[in-house]
Amino acid sequence: MKVIELQNGFGIESLKLTERPIPKVSSGQVLIKMQAASLNYRDLIIINGTLGLKHPLPFIPLSDGVGEVVEVGEGVTRVKTGDRVAGIFFQNWLSGELGEMHPPSSLGGALLYGGALTDTLYGKELPDAQIQSLLGNVLDGVLAEYIVLPEYGVVHVPEHLTNEEAATLPCAAVTSWNAVVTSGGVKAGDTVLVLGTGGASLFALQFAQLSGARVIATSSSDEKIEKLHQLGVLDTINYKKTPDWGNWVQEVTGGVGVDLVVEVGGPGTLNESLRAVRYGGKISFFGSLTGGGGVVNTGAIFLKSLQLQGIYVGSREMFEEMNRAIALHKMRPIVDRVFAFEEIGEALVYEASGAHFGKICIRF
Ligand SMILES: NC(=O)c1ccc[n+]([C@@H]2O[C@H](COP(=O)([O-])OP(=O)(O)OC[C@H]3O[C@@H](n4cnc5c(N)ncnc54)[C@H](OP(=O)(O)O)[C@@H]3O)[C@@H](O)[C@H]2O)c1
């Protein structure tokens, strides 16, 4: 089968189209013939070596994809041959909170990378049950014609979606669902601020609209702002032309501020987000588009009695809840462009350009 691997080092130029044998299924596992994948910003920074890669080289990138189950191992009951499924981002985070992920040994998962892992934040070894189940970083990803996953690590995807649309769900959509709905707790009548028009932000916009909230959005491009208007977003601002957009958000909310900010920028945007949010409001924080460290107005966090909450994708349970909402509302992910499997390099260059509006997909 064809696979795309990072072979001898980092960088888009180090990605190679090559052949591997089709993997064999063991009991409790499913063989999936992949149909589509999608890119996230994280894939770009894993491939260029900025975000620590835990899997040894050679490595198959990308966490998000969808395919058809073509073979099931002994004892599999959750899915059957012919089903269309996506792999979940954290293979072992099925429900509950992040630290409660099920240890692989208790679930028969045979996928895991055997080396000891070091926590990038604190430099200590991580317990098996935690980060060791990340697709497309700790584990090989989905840029292969066939992949094997444990049956507990896949979900059915909504029927009305094309393969490319369904392939956008595991990371970007689940993260934004968690940020807006599960942890964000957005209700009809709330106001939600989303930053930029990348994949995760447009999902946040759609989930906020689905929840009956008013959306305010920023972008660096007037052309993209026009597209935001077409999606029904009335309040928009160009953050390049108005760098102090936090004050503007205060103005358009009558001096109150928004109930929730979906923060994808990091240090370069967080202080404006702290200005834009209302007293007692929430910031769902999950991005690092402007980097990973900086000076933050920590006073605003307690003076405004905010909830500043970190979001790290989400569990299988959140994925399934989100899929029910997407299916019920026939919601369609916003796909900017689809590239062929062999065009992965061009797709990543396009992702790096920031020219996209929504998701970039790969068709197998
Ligand atoms: N923690 C998690 O679980 C998790 C999950 C998913 C994503 N993330 C993170 O979330 C971020 C977004 O990911 P993504 O995959 O959606 O990226 P993406 O699709 O590549 O988004 C790129 C877009 O972000 C916008 N942007 C860039 N710099 C900005 C800034 N200073 N202020 C506001 N918007 C800015 C731009 O929109 P305009 O062109 O409109 O300006 C750009 O086109 C990344 O940092 C990613 O690592 C984290």
Side-chain angles (χ1 to χ4, degrees):
M1 66 164 183
K2 284 184 193 161
V3 302
I4 291 177
E5 290 178 348
L6 259 188
Q7 286 184 338
N8 299 314
F10 292 99
I12 296 174
E13 65 291 347
S14 303
L15 287 170
K16 299 284 179 260
L17 178 64
T18 181
E19 293 279 333
R20 286 194 194 184
I22 295 176
K24 303 245 177 296
V25 283
S26 303
S27 70
Q29 296 181 331
V30 298
L31 179 67
I32 304 165
K33 186 173 194 307
M34 297 305 293
Q35 293 159 327
S38 78
L39 298 187
N40 290 289
Y41 183 75
R42 82 184 271 274
D43 300 311
L44 186 66
I45 55 180
I46 288 171
I47 289 165
N48 72 20
T50 314
L51 185 75
L53 172 67
K54 308 291 191 207
H55 194 287
L57 298 179
F59 160 72
I60 302 174
L62 265 56
S63 58
D64 289 8
V66 73
E68 183 187 335
V69 175
V70 290
E71 193 185 336
V72 298
E74 204 187 326
V76 167
T77 54
R78 292 189 72 244
V79 292
K80 57 183 189 319
T81 307
D83 287 0
R84 191 171 64 146
V85 296
I88 59 175
F89 185 84
F90 286 107
Q91 284 287 294
N92 297 324
W93 187 11
L94 306 187
S95 62
E97 293 181 2
L98 185 61
E100 296 170 358
M101 284 187 285
H102 297 242
S105 52
S106 70
L107 288 164
L111 264 170
L112 298 174
Y113 165 51
L117 286 177
T118 305
D119 185 322
T120 42
L121 273 184
Y122 302 112
K124 64 175 196 236
E125 215 165 280
L126 289 166
D128 269 4
Q130 296 196 341
I131 309 299
Q132 288 220 31
S133 66
L134 262 164
L135 273 188
N137 186 323
V138 177
L139 307 174
D140 266 330
V142 301
L143 262 185
E145 281 184 298
Y146 293 87
I147 64 169
V148 164
L149 294 175
E151 66 158 346
Y152 63 77
V154 300
V155 296
H156 292 104
V157 290
E159 278 175 19
H160 71 285
L161 301 181
T162 65
N163 291 332
E164 288 76 31
E165 288 168 342
T168 65
L169 301 178
C171 175
V174 174
T175 304
S176 294
W177 177 263
N178 185 2
V180 172
V181 179
T182 315
S183 304
V186 164
K187 317 178 289 306
D190 283 356
T191 302
V192 177
L193 171 65
V194 302
L195 308 184
T197 58
S201 293
L202 289 192
F203 272 119
L205 181 164
Q206 290 180 294
F207 293 138
Q209 287 179 331
L210 211 69
S211 308
R214 168 190 178 194
V215 176
I216 297 178
T218 74
S219 176
S220 59
S221 146
D222 291 341
E223 215 181 311
K224 291 183 181 181
I225 283 178
E226 192 42 49
K227 291 185 181 175
L228 287 168
H229 293 160
Q230 286 161 17
L231 293 175
V233 181
L234 301 178
D235 300 299
T236 52
I237 194 156
N238 186 317
Y239 62 82
K240 283 263 153 70
K241 292 182 185 165
T242 310
D244 59 345
W245 44 266
N247 286 330
W248 171 83
V249 173
Q250 280 289 338
E251 276 168 37
V252 294
T253 54
V256 175
V258 298
D259 298 286
L260 174 76
V261 184
V262 180
E263 231 308 329
V264 296
T269 53
L270 187 54
N271 287 321
E272 290 304 312
S273 295
L274 287 166
R275 202 180 292 276
V277 72
R278 71 165 167 83
Y279 281 76
K282 286 185 184 175
I283 299 179
S284 285
F285 180 83
F286 62 80
S288 56
L289 287 166
T290 64
V295 179
V296 173
N297 176 10
T298 51
I301 299 169
F302 64 83
L303 289 173
K304 280 189 152 178
S305 290
L306 302 178
Q307 288 182 52
L308 173 58
Q309 54 190 357
I311 301 288
Y312 201 1
V313 194
S315 64
R316 187 182 80 190
E317 189 178 31
M318 291 178 209
F319 198 160
E320 289 175 329
E321 278 170 9
M322 175 191 81
N323 283 347
R324 283 196 293 277
I326 290 175
L328 181 68
H329 292 274
K330 297 280 183 288
M331 190 192 113
R332 306 203 86 101
I334 296 163
V335 174
D336 177 288
R337 223 168 129 179
V338 179
F339 289 82
F341 185 74
E342 295 76 9
E343 293 172 333
I344 181 65
E346 287 95 315
L348 286 159
V349 168
Y350 185 57
E351 164 83 39
S353 77
H356 54 292
F357 183 85
K359 297 298 297 182
I360 300 166
C361 295
I362 306 291
R363 185 174 294 151
F364 283 52

